[in-house]
Amino acid sequence: MNILYISISGNTRAFVKHLETYAKEQHQLNPANPMITSKEISENSPFEIENSPFFTFVPTYLEGGNGVDNGDTEILTEVMREYLEYNDNYKKCLGVVGSGNKNFNYQYCLTAKQYSDAFKFPFLADYELRGTSVDCQRVYQILKNSLPN
Ligand SMILES: Cc1cc2nc3c(=O)[nH]c(=O)nc-3n(C[C@H](O)[C@H](O)[C@H](O)COP(=O)(O)O)c2cc1C
């Protein structure tokens, strides 16, 4: 399973690395369990055409508004949106996993939900900050179940 992710302060990176380790363990227990490879997208990433299906992981950075009646603006993660738009890469995306901080209430994980709406791929799961081991196990199962047969 391939993951594309963006991480500004390191939480998403830590969670994805945790997922990779967990997937490796699961694969060793049973080779039918898929391993995970990941690619970090950042301001400096060359844009590439994605030829294999992947999952997108995006944290939430919004400024202004409350997302309900006066809008909100995505900051810092826009390069992920641009990467998905590049050469229709989004068509290879099997779904998005969002992260954020529940203190943001309605805006919790809103960027992932906005990507799901804009690109028409499913919003698969959410977790807070760096996630927990339970989140890791839960998200791994969801990704696995979202693979095409
Ligand atoms: C300026 C700023 C704005 C943020 N806005 C939101 C938000 O609107 N909704 C949310 O759920 N989390 C918000 N967060 C929390 C981050 O999404 C959260 O810390 C996340 O784990 C960061 O992931 P990263 O370390 O991979 O960049 C915000 C954090 C910062 C610093």
Side-chain angles (χ1 to χ4, degrees), residues 28-144:
Q28 277 162 0
L29 290 174
N30 178 353
N33 290 324
M35 304 258 283
I36 289 179
T37 56
S38 69
K39 177 159 96 175
E40 181 167 356
I41 304 299
S42 72
E43 286 295 332
N44 306 319
S45 303
F47 280 29
E48 291 171 338
I49 297 177
E50 294 298 323
N51 294 311
S52 305
F54 62 90
F55 297 98
T56 298
F57 280 53
V58 67
T60 315
Y61 287 91
L62 299 170
E63 71 173 5
N66 59 15
V68 182
D69 48 28
N70 55 357
D72 52 73
T73 307
E74 180 180 2
I75 53 169
L76 302 170
T77 53
E78 310 99 295
V79 68
M80 178 57 98
R81 185 184 282 270
E82 289 160 12
Y83 195 94
L84 290 166
E85 284 166 353
Y86 179 73
N87 265 78
D88 288 350
N89 273 337
Y90 71 91
K91 290 185 177 168
K92 285 275 185 308
C93 180
L94 298 169
V96 61
V97 175
S99 59
N101 182 329
K102 286 188 179 164
N103 291 340
F104 286 86
N105 298 311
Y106 173 79
Q107 290 192 186
Y108 173 62
C109 294
L110 190 55
T111 301
K113 291 174 187 167
Q114 290 173 337
Y115 281 19
S116 168
D117 283 347
F119 294 114
K120 311 290 177 217
F121 46 57
F123 175 84
L124 295 174
D126 65 83
Y127 64 91
E128 241 190 316
L129 301 171
R130 286 187 176 220
T132 63
S133 299
V134 173
D135 290 326
C136 178
Q137 293 167 26
R138 172 176 59 87
V139 171
Y140 180 76
Q141 288 307 322
I142 291 170
L143 299 187
K144 216 174 101 173

